[in-house]
Amino acid sequence: MNTPPPLPPLAEKEQLLHPWSWLFVLLAQLRQFLFPLVALVIFGQRSAGREDSYQMVTMVIVAAVLVASALLRYFTYRYAIGADRVSVRSGLLARNRREIPFARIHNVAVQQNLLHRLFGVAEIRLESAGSKHPEAEMRVLRLDQALALEQLVRQHGRSPSPPQADPADSGGNDGPASATAGSQLLLALRALDLVRLGLVSNRGMVVVAAAIGAVFQLVPREVVGDLIKAHARQAMGMANGAALSTTSAILLAVLSLVLVLLMTRLLSVALAFVQYHRFVLSRADGRLTVERGLFSRSRSSVGQRRIQAWSLHQGLLQRWLRVQQLKVDIAAGNAEDNNSRNLRELAPIASQQQCTQLIQTLAPELAWPPSQWQPVAPRQAWRLCLPALLLWQPLLITALWQLAGSWALLCLCWLPVTVWRAWRSVGFMGYHVDAHAVMVRGGWWQRWWRMAQTAKVQGLRLRRSPLDRLCGTASLLLDTAGSSMGGPRLQLALLPVAQAQQLLEQLSARISRPRVASSADAAAPVTQVPADLQPT
């Protein structure tokens, strides 16, 4: 993606999207019906005569309706660039008009896949705070037009927001995109980093599991059952013919399992290259921008002031390789969006030193890492064993009793591991609270750290379950504007009641203080619309 040209005078005349826009809308609609159509064509009940003709006619009618819908969307979709807003008009019978002020747009996401590159176009989405869907989605514009609109919206977004508005809900503090000549490079992933990312992730296993689930959903059960039985008979025949001993059979099964795990890891590495090829994190004028992708290039950015919380994740393999993953929560968006509309991964994989430097550079108020962690009482470890002791182990023993009888009691051998894991988890748990930030950590196999500035906390909650009341403990939950994004919660758990109430009062007093406007919120000069965005 190239840097847009300079910005000439504004024009507010409505204009159409790219002439090939209808084609990309049609392809997006067809993706929703891809699997049902494939299943209907390949595995549907085929019969000669009139019923077969009806089926073909139905498919042709559906295709014609989709094409007509795409063309209708192209001819009824208009957009205009004003002095301080973007206007979008769409619809024929039910007409909609959206006025999107530049100051409310928190992100301009530009995406290009292989087909976009072939046609020299790009898809652009305008996203605002607190919305689960894009305010405007333009499929598609010429690449230079998309980049120019991206620059225009972001430069207008530097204008100040009203004094009473919360920074998490306004776009007034955001600067221009970091994909400019003056941007600061913060992180760039190399090929070796992508290999490590694939090795420590489970993306390949997830894809394989999803493929197996899709096969069971699309292919008739009789076909799948016959296929499994045929391969099982073939494997048993080969094993009997080779006259393998018990030791050899076990060794062969272990080698097969290792081979499957190796193949899934190689698939994970390939997926990491596809998703994070040429990953670049940069900063310019208070905005963070991430650009990545091999076949489909995407660029997304967010203002630093919109970051509500920071999370570090480190699994067992990541600890061995001494790497971590850095994520952020943004005060907008939908966690269930599989297209990753919002920038969340600042560092999919980076060394511990790099992650520490990123946090120190981007959020110096956090003073990361803290000088001391407040631990949790080790005697609370037994509470982490309760789910295994009272729930899943009894259920597992009951389920296996029907198959293995008294051998199912061997599951009790896992109890020492459960107790040891709970003890190690409590030993790692801790929190740190100071005048500017709140930090918690937890986990053992999968370790995590979560932190947020006190000024970003939107609400506090003191929670006591029946077990807490019995043990004299409580949990203090802190909510931020991006707390619905998933992942570990910002929660101080297993605290004595008096200590939890004291922290509640202290934090309540801190977050109740009025925010002071920053001197950096100066009005930006009026920018102009690029020539490529003006109607001809």
PDB file of all heavy atoms in Angstrom, residues 362-391:
ATOM      1  N   LEU A 362       4.973   2.979  24.836  1.00  0.00           N
ATOM      2  CA  LEU A 362       3.617   3.394  24.500  1.00  0.00           C
ATOM      3  C   LEU A 362       2.784   3.767  25.715  1.00  0.00           C
ATOM      4  O   LEU A 362       1.816   4.520  25.582  1.00  0.00           O
ATOM      5  CB  LEU A 362       2.920   2.273  23.709  1.00  0.00           C
ATOM      6  CG  LEU A 362       3.611   1.855  22.412  1.00  0.00           C
ATOM      7  CD1 LEU A 362       2.877   0.691  21.773  1.00  0.00           C
ATOM      8  CD2 LEU A 362       3.693   3.030  21.447  1.00  0.00           C
ATOM      9  N   ALA A 363       3.099   3.215  26.873  1.00  0.00           N
ATOM     10  CA  ALA A 363       2.333   3.513  28.086  1.00  0.00           C
ATOM     11  C   ALA A 363       3.282   3.710  29.255  1.00  0.00           C
ATOM     12  O   ALA A 363       3.356   2.876  30.163  1.00  0.00           O
ATOM     13  CB  ALA A 363       1.342   2.392  28.374  1.00  0.00           C
ATOM     14  N   PRO A 364       4.041   4.794  29.256  1.00  0.00           N
ATOM     15  CA  PRO A 364       4.992   5.007  30.361  1.00  0.00           C
ATOM     16  C   PRO A 364       4.296   5.190  31.709  1.00  0.00           C
ATOM     17  O   PRO A 364       4.906   4.975  32.753  1.00  0.00           O
ATOM     18  CB  PRO A 364       5.744   6.277  29.935  1.00  0.00           C
ATOM     19  CG  PRO A 364       4.832   6.973  28.970  1.00  0.00           C
ATOM     20  CD  PRO A 364       4.089   5.883  28.260  1.00  0.00           C
ATOM     21  N   GLU A 365       2.990   5.563  31.702  1.00  0.00           N
ATOM     22  CA  GLU A 365       2.276   5.743  32.967  1.00  0.00           C
ATOM     23  C   GLU A 365       2.131   4.438  33.740  1.00  0.00           C
ATOM     24  O   GLU A 365       1.940   4.448  34.965  1.00  0.00           O
ATOM     25  CB  GLU A 365       0.887   6.341  32.708  1.00  0.00           C
ATOM     26  CG  GLU A 365       0.897   7.671  31.973  1.00  0.00           C
ATOM     27  CD  GLU A 365       0.937   7.497  30.465  1.00  0.00           C
ATOM     28  OE1 GLU A 365       1.017   6.323  30.023  1.00  0.00           O
ATOM     29  OE2 GLU A 365       0.918   8.515  29.741  1.00  0.00           O
ATOM     30  N   LEU A 366       2.190   3.309  33.041  1.00  0.00           N
ATOM     31  CA  LEU A 366       2.029   2.024  33.721  1.00  0.00           C
ATOM     32  C   LEU A 366       3.238   1.665  34.575  1.00  0.00           C
ATOM     33  O   LEU A 366       3.125   0.859  35.498  1.00  0.00           O
ATOM     34  CB  LEU A 366       1.787   0.918  32.690  1.00  0.00           C
ATOM     35  CG  LEU A 366       0.473   0.999  31.907  1.00  0.00           C
ATOM     36  CD1 LEU A 366       0.429  -0.103  30.854  1.00  0.00           C
ATOM     37  CD2 LEU A 366      -0.722   0.876  32.842  1.00  0.00           C
ATOM     38  N   ALA A 367       4.408   2.227  34.254  1.00  0.00           N
ATOM     39  CA  ALA A 367       5.649   1.902  34.977  1.00  0.00           C
ATOM     40  C   ALA A 367       5.856   0.393  35.011  1.00  0.00           C
ATOM     41  O   ALA A 367       6.033  -0.212  36.067  1.00  0.00           O
ATOM     42  CB  ALA A 367       5.611   2.492  36.391  1.00  0.00           C
ATOM     43  N   TRP A 368       5.812  -0.203  33.832  1.00  0.00           N
ATOM     44  CA  TRP A 368       5.971  -1.650  33.704  1.00  0.00           C
ATOM     45  C   TRP A 368       7.444  -2.006  33.548  1.00  0.00           C
ATOM     46  O   TRP A 368       8.166  -1.308  32.856  1.00  0.00           O
ATOM     47  CB  TRP A 368       5.174  -2.151  32.489  1.00  0.00           C
ATOM     48  CG  TRP A 368       5.355  -3.606  32.212  1.00  0.00           C
ATOM     49  CD1 TRP A 368       6.185  -4.177  31.294  1.00  0.00           C
ATOM     50  CD2 TRP A 368       4.692  -4.675  32.863  1.00  0.00           C
ATOM     51  NE1 TRP A 368       6.095  -5.529  31.326  1.00  0.00           N
ATOM     52  CE2 TRP A 368       5.186  -5.877  32.292  1.00  0.00           C
ATOM     53  CE3 TRP A 368       3.741  -4.764  33.883  1.00  0.00           C
ATOM     54  CZ2 TRP A 368       4.746  -7.127  32.693  1.00  0.00           C
ATOM     55  CZ3 TRP A 368       3.308  -6.009  34.280  1.00  0.00           C
ATOM     56  CH2 TRP A 368       3.807  -7.171  33.684  1.00  0.00           C
ATOM     57  N   PRO A 369       7.917  -3.077  34.190  1.00  0.00           N
ATOM     58  CA  PRO A 369       7.212  -3.968  35.128  1.00  0.00           C
ATOM     59  C   PRO A 369       7.205  -3.386  36.533  1.00  0.00           C
ATOM     60  O   PRO A 369       8.064  -2.570  36.880  1.00  0.00           O
ATOM     61  CB  PRO A 369       8.054  -5.240  35.054  1.00  0.00           C
ATOM     62  CG  PRO A 369       9.429  -4.768  34.739  1.00  0.00           C
ATOM     63  CD  PRO A 369       9.279  -3.564  33.862  1.00  0.00           C
ATOM     64  N   PRO A 370       6.251  -3.781  37.365  1.00  0.00           N
ATOM     65  CA  PRO A 370       6.179  -3.238  38.727  1.00  0.00           C
ATOM     66  C   PRO A 370       7.344  -3.736  39.571  1.00  0.00           C
ATOM     67  O   PRO A 370       7.906  -4.806  39.329  1.00  0.00           O
ATOM     68  CB  PRO A 370       4.838  -3.764  39.250  1.00  0.00           C
ATOM     69  CG  PRO A 370       4.594  -5.009  38.471  1.00  0.00           C
ATOM     70  CD  PRO A 370       5.170  -4.758  37.105  1.00  0.00           C
ATOM     71  N   SER A 371       7.670  -2.963  40.567  1.00  0.00           N
ATOM     72  CA  SER A 371       8.782  -3.334  41.442  1.00  0.00           C
ATOM     73  C   SER A 371       8.431  -4.496  42.354  1.00  0.00           C
ATOM     74  O   SER A 371       9.303  -5.284  42.745  1.00  0.00           O
ATOM     75  CB  SER A 371       9.198  -2.127  42.288  1.00  0.00           C
ATOM     76  OG  SER A 371       8.082  -1.647  43.044  1.00  0.00           O
ATOM     77  N   GLN A 372       7.140  -4.662  42.672  1.00  0.00           N
ATOM     78  CA  GLN A 372       6.739  -5.721  43.588  1.00  0.00           C
ATOM     79  C   GLN A 372       5.303  -6.136  43.306  1.00  0.00           C
ATOM     80  O   GLN A 372       4.448  -5.298  43.022  1.00  0.00           O
ATOM     81  CB  GLN A 372       6.873  -5.240  45.048  1.00  0.00           C
ATOM     82  CG  GLN A 372       6.556  -6.302  46.082  1.00  0.00           C
ATOM     83  CD  GLN A 372       6.712  -5.781  47.501  1.00  0.00           C
ATOM     84  OE1 GLN A 372       6.994  -4.599  47.696  1.00  0.00           O
ATOM     85  NE2 GLN A 372       6.543  -6.640  48.492  1.00  0.00           N
ATOM     86  N   TRP A 373       5.043  -7.435  43.406  1.00  0.00           N
ATOM     87  CA  TRP A 373       3.703  -7.993  43.254  1.00  0.00           C
ATOM     88  C   TRP A 373       3.170  -8.390  44.628  1.00  0.00           C
ATOM     89  O   TRP A 373       3.893  -8.989  45.427  1.00  0.00           O
ATOM     90  CB  TRP A 373       3.698  -9.214  42.341  1.00  0.00           C
ATOM     91  CG  TRP A 373       3.963  -8.905  40.904  1.00  0.00           C
ATOM     92  CD1 TRP A 373       5.169  -8.925  40.281  1.00  0.00           C
ATOM     93  CD2 TRP A 373       3.005  -8.538  39.921  1.00  0.00           C
ATOM     94  NE1 TRP A 373       5.031  -8.591  38.957  1.00  0.00           N
ATOM     95  CE2 TRP A 373       3.707  -8.350  38.700  1.00  0.00           C
ATOM     96  CE3 TRP A 373       1.625  -8.350  39.922  1.00  0.00           C
ATOM     97  CZ2 TRP A 373       3.081  -7.990  37.520  1.00  0.00           C
ATOM     98  CZ3 TRP A 373       0.995  -7.992  38.749  1.00  0.00           C
ATOM     99  CH2 TRP A 373       1.709  -7.806  37.568  1.00  0.00           C
ATOM    100  N   GLN A 374       1.904  -8.071  44.876  1.00  0.00           N
ATOM    101  CA  GLN A 374       1.253  -8.521  46.103  1.00  0.00           C
ATOM    102  C   GLN A 374       0.737  -9.940  45.888  1.00  0.00           C
ATOM    103  O   GLN A 374      -0.096 -10.177  45.019  1.00  0.00           O
ATOM    104  CB  GLN A 374       0.084  -7.592  46.468  1.00  0.00           C
ATOM    105  CG  GLN A 374       0.495  -6.172  46.766  1.00  0.00           C
ATOM    106  CD  GLN A 374       1.361  -6.081  48.013  1.00  0.00           C
ATOM    107  OE1 GLN A 374       1.215  -6.879  48.943  1.00  0.00           O
ATOM    108  NE2 GLN A 374       2.274  -5.113  48.023  1.00  0.00           N
ATOM    109  N   PRO A 375       1.214 -10.925  46.667  1.00  0.00           N
ATOM    110  CA  PRO A 375       0.831 -12.318  46.413  1.00  0.00           C
ATOM    111  C   PRO A 375      -0.547 -12.655  46.993  1.00  0.00           C
ATOM    112  O   PRO A 375      -1.114 -11.902  47.777  1.00  0.00           O
ATOM    113  CB  PRO A 375       1.935 -13.105  47.116  1.00  0.00           C
ATOM    114  CG  PRO A 375       2.331 -12.224  48.254  1.00  0.00           C
ATOM    115  CD  PRO A 375       2.186 -10.799  47.769  1.00  0.00           C
ATOM    116  N   VAL A 376      -1.033 -13.817  46.593  1.00  0.00           N
ATOM    117  CA  VAL A 376      -2.267 -14.386  47.133  1.00  0.00           C
ATOM    118  C   VAL A 376      -1.879 -15.436  48.168  1.00  0.00           C
ATOM    119  O   VAL A 376      -0.878 -16.144  48.002  1.00  0.00           O
ATOM    120  CB  VAL A 376      -3.128 -15.000  46.010  1.00  0.00           C
ATOM    121  CG1 VAL A 376      -4.346 -15.713  46.572  1.00  0.00           C
ATOM    122  CG2 VAL A 376      -3.561 -13.914  45.039  1.00  0.00           C
ATOM    123  N   ALA A 377      -2.663 -15.548  49.212  1.00  0.00           N
ATOM    124  CA  ALA A 377      -2.356 -16.502  50.279  1.00  0.00           C
ATOM    125  C   ALA A 377      -2.299 -17.923  49.718  1.00  0.00           C
ATOM    126  O   ALA A 377      -3.250 -18.365  49.056  1.00  0.00           O
ATOM    127  CB  ALA A 377      -3.406 -16.416  51.388  1.00  0.00           C
ATOM    128  N   PRO A 378      -1.212 -18.661  49.940  1.00  0.00           N
ATOM    129  CA  PRO A 378      -1.099 -20.026  49.396  1.00  0.00           C
ATOM    130  C   PRO A 378      -2.194 -20.965  49.877  1.00  0.00           C
ATOM    131  O   PRO A 378      -2.508 -21.945  49.195  1.00  0.00           O
ATOM    132  CB  PRO A 378       0.286 -20.485  49.885  1.00  0.00           C
ATOM    133  CG  PRO A 378       1.042 -19.218  50.162  1.00  0.00           C
ATOM    134  CD  PRO A 378       0.018 -18.240  50.634  1.00  0.00           C
ATOM    135  N   ARG A 379      -2.804 -20.678  51.036  1.00  0.00           N
ATOM    136  CA  ARG A 379      -3.838 -21.585  51.558  1.00  0.00           C
ATOM    137  C   ARG A 379      -5.098 -21.582  50.697  1.00  0.00           C
ATOM    138  O   ARG A 379      -5.978 -22.425  50.886  1.00  0.00           O
ATOM    139  CB  ARG A 379      -4.196 -21.192  52.988  1.00  0.00           C
ATOM    140  CG  ARG A 379      -4.785 -19.803  53.134  1.00  0.00           C
ATOM    141  CD  ARG A 379      -5.175 -19.514  54.584  1.00  0.00           C
ATOM    142  NE  ARG A 379      -5.735 -18.187  54.748  1.00  0.00           N
ATOM    143  CZ  ARG A 379      -5.029 -17.097  54.961  1.00  0.00           C
ATOM    144  NH1 ARG A 379      -3.690 -17.186  55.047  1.00  0.00           N
ATOM    145  NH2 ARG A 379      -5.609 -15.918  55.102  1.00  0.00           N
ATOM    146  N   GLN A 380      -5.199 -20.625  49.765  1.00  0.00           N
ATOM    147  CA  GLN A 380      -6.363 -20.583  48.879  1.00  0.00           C
ATOM    148  C   GLN A 380      -6.237 -21.533  47.695  1.00  0.00           C
ATOM    149  O   GLN A 380      -7.137 -21.583  46.857  1.00  0.00           O
ATOM    150  CB  GLN A 380      -6.556 -19.148  48.356  1.00  0.00           C
ATOM    151  CG  GLN A 380      -6.763 -18.109  49.432  1.00  0.00           C
ATOM    152  CD  GLN A 380      -8.067 -18.299  50.181  1.00  0.00           C
ATOM    153  OE1 GLN A 380      -9.007 -18.921  49.682  1.00  0.00           O
ATOM    154  NE2 GLN A 380      -8.129 -17.773  51.405  1.00  0.00           N
ATOM    155  N   ALA A 381      -5.134 -22.291  47.638  1.00  0.00           N
ATOM    156  CA  ALA A 381      -4.926 -23.175  46.485  1.00  0.00           C
ATOM    157  C   ALA A 381      -6.004 -24.250  46.382  1.00  0.00           C
ATOM    158  O   ALA A 381      -6.363 -24.668  45.273  1.00  0.00           O
ATOM    159  CB  ALA A 381      -3.541 -23.818  46.572  1.00  0.00           C
ATOM    160  N   TRP A 382      -6.540 -24.691  47.527  1.00  0.00           N
ATOM    161  CA  TRP A 382      -7.528 -25.762  47.472  1.00  0.00           C
ATOM    162  C   TRP A 382      -8.780 -25.353  46.694  1.00  0.00           C
ATOM    163  O   TRP A 382      -9.469 -26.208  46.120  1.00  0.00           O
ATOM    164  CB  TRP A 382      -7.909 -26.187  48.892  1.00  0.00           C
ATOM    165  CG  TRP A 382      -8.642 -25.134  49.674  1.00  0.00           C
ATOM    166  CD1 TRP A 382      -8.102 -24.142  50.433  1.00  0.00           C
ATOM    167  CD2 TRP A 382     -10.066 -24.968  49.759  1.00  0.00           C
ATOM    168  NE1 TRP A 382      -9.079 -23.350  50.995  1.00  0.00           N
ATOM    169  CE2 TRP A 382     -10.307 -23.846  50.596  1.00  0.00           C
ATOM    170  CE3 TRP A 382     -11.157 -25.631  49.218  1.00  0.00           C
ATOM    171  CZ2 TRP A 382     -11.585 -23.400  50.892  1.00  0.00           C
ATOM    172  CZ3 TRP A 382     -12.432 -25.195  49.521  1.00  0.00           C
ATOM    173  CH2 TRP A 382     -12.645 -24.088  50.348  1.00  0.00           C
ATOM    174  N   ARG A 383      -9.049 -24.047  46.648  1.00  0.00           N
ATOM    175  CA  ARG A 383     -10.249 -23.605  45.937  1.00  0.00           C
ATOM    176  C   ARG A 383     -10.123 -23.798  44.428  1.00  0.00           C
ATOM    177  O   ARG A 383     -11.124 -23.963  43.729  1.00  0.00           O
ATOM    178  CB  ARG A 383     -10.528 -22.140  46.264  1.00  0.00           C
ATOM    179  CG  ARG A 383     -10.873 -21.914  47.729  1.00  0.00           C
ATOM    180  CD  ARG A 383     -11.112 -20.471  48.049  1.00  0.00           C
ATOM    181  NE  ARG A 383     -12.176 -19.895  47.225  1.00  0.00           N
ATOM    182  CZ  ARG A 383     -12.635 -18.663  47.399  1.00  0.00           C
ATOM    183  NH1 ARG A 383     -12.123 -17.882  48.357  1.00  0.00           N
ATOM    184  NH2 ARG A 383     -13.591 -18.203  46.626  1.00  0.00           N
ATOM    185  N   LEU A 384      -8.899 -23.757  43.919  1.00  0.00           N
ATOM    186  CA  LEU A 384      -8.708 -23.993  42.488  1.00  0.00           C
ATOM    187  C   LEU A 384      -8.850 -25.463  42.135  1.00  0.00           C
ATOM    188  O   LEU A 384      -8.958 -25.800  40.950  1.00  0.00           O
ATOM    189  CB  LEU A 384      -7.330 -23.480  42.062  1.00  0.00           C
ATOM    190  CG  LEU A 384      -7.040 -21.996  42.325  1.00  0.00           C
ATOM    191  CD1 LEU A 384      -5.675 -21.614  41.785  1.00  0.00           C
ATOM    192  CD2 LEU A 384      -8.121 -21.120  41.715  1.00  0.00           C
ATOM    193  N   CYS A 385      -8.815 -26.353  43.124  1.00  0.00           N
ATOM    194  CA  CYS A 385      -8.986 -27.785  42.860  1.00  0.00           C
ATOM    195  C   CYS A 385     -10.445 -28.195  42.795  1.00  0.00           C
ATOM    196  O   CYS A 385     -10.753 -29.309  42.328  1.00  0.00           O
ATOM    197  CB  CYS A 385      -8.278 -28.611  43.944  1.00  0.00           C
ATOM    198  SG  CYS A 385      -6.524 -28.298  44.125  1.00  0.00           S
ATOM    199  N   LEU A 386     -11.342 -27.349  43.285  1.00  0.00           N
ATOM    200  CA  LEU A 386     -12.748 -27.748  43.384  1.00  0.00           C
ATOM    201  C   LEU A 386     -13.384 -28.098  42.040  1.00  0.00           C
ATOM    202  O   LEU A 386     -14.140 -29.079  41.962  1.00  0.00           O
ATOM    203  CB  LEU A 386     -13.548 -26.638  44.068  1.00  0.00           C
ATOM    204  CG  LEU A 386     -13.228 -26.413  45.557  1.00  0.00           C
ATOM    205  CD1 LEU A 386     -14.110 -25.313  46.125  1.00  0.00           C
ATOM    206  CD2 LEU A 386     -13.413 -27.705  46.342  1.00  0.00           C
ATOM    207  N   PRO A 387     -13.150 -27.338  40.949  1.00  0.00           N
ATOM    208  CA  PRO A 387     -13.783 -27.744  39.682  1.00  0.00           C
ATOM    209  C   PRO A 387     -13.396 -29.157  39.252  1.00  0.00           C
ATOM    210  O   PRO A 387     -14.248 -29.906  38.751  1.00  0.00           O
ATOM    211  CB  PRO A 387     -13.273 -26.694  38.679  1.00  0.00           C
ATOM    212  CG  PRO A 387     -12.965 -25.499  39.516  1.00  0.00           C
ATOM    213  CD  PRO A 387     -12.447 -26.050  40.811  1.00  0.00           C
ATOM    214  N   ALA A 388     -12.131 -29.547  39.453  1.00  0.00           N
ATOM    215  CA  ALA A 388     -11.717 -30.893  39.075  1.00  0.00           C
ATOM    216  C   ALA A 388     -12.276 -31.938  40.024  1.00  0.00           C
ATOM    217  O   ALA A 388     -12.711 -33.013  39.599  1.00  0.00           O
ATOM    218  CB  ALA A 388     -10.193 -30.978  39.037  1.00  0.00           C
ATOM    219  N   LEU A 389     -12.289 -31.628  41.329  1.00  0.00           N
ATOM    220  CA  LEU A 389     -12.742 -32.613  42.313  1.00  0.00           C
ATOM    221  C   LEU A 389     -14.245 -32.829  42.279  1.00  0.00           C
ATOM    222  O   LEU A 389     -14.720 -33.953  42.493  1.00  0.00           O
ATOM    223  CB  LEU A 389     -12.312 -32.173  43.711  1.00  0.00           C
ATOM    224  CG  LEU A 389     -10.805 -32.101  43.978  1.00  0.00           C
ATOM    225  CD1 LEU A 389     -10.547 -31.583  45.378  1.00  0.00           C
ATOM    226  CD2 LEU A 389     -10.160 -33.465  43.786  1.00  0.00           C
ATOM    227  N   LEU A 390     -14.999 -31.768  42.012  1.00  0.00           N
ATOM    228  CA  LEU A 390     -16.453 -31.851  42.115  1.00  0.00           C
ATOM    229  C   LEU A 390     -17.175 -31.908  40.784  1.00  0.00           C
ATOM    230  O   LEU A 390     -18.377 -32.204  40.764  1.00  0.00           O
ATOM    231  CB  LEU A 390     -16.977 -30.639  42.902  1.00  0.00           C
ATOM    232  CG  LEU A 390     -16.427 -30.463  44.323  1.00  0.00           C
ATOM    233  CD1 LEU A 390     -17.042 -29.237  44.976  1.00  0.00           C
ATOM    234  CD2 LEU A 390     -16.685 -31.700  45.160  1.00  0.00           C
ATOM    235  N   LEU A 391     -16.472 -31.645  39.689  1.00  0.00           N
ATOM    236  CA  LEU A 391     -17.179 -31.565  38.409  1.00  0.00           C
ATOM    237  C   LEU A 391     -16.636 -32.542  37.378  1.00  0.00           C
ATOM    238  O   LEU A 391     -17.211 -33.610  37.162  1.00  0.00           O
ATOM    239  CB  LEU A 391     -17.124 -30.130  37.871  1.00  0.00           C
ATOM    240  CG  LEU A 391     -17.907 -29.859  36.583  1.00  0.00           C
ATOM    241  CD1 LEU A 391     -19.376 -30.158  36.794  1.00  0.00           C
ATOM    242  CD2 LEU A 391     -17.702 -28.428  36.110  1.00  0.00           C
TER     243      LEU A 391
END
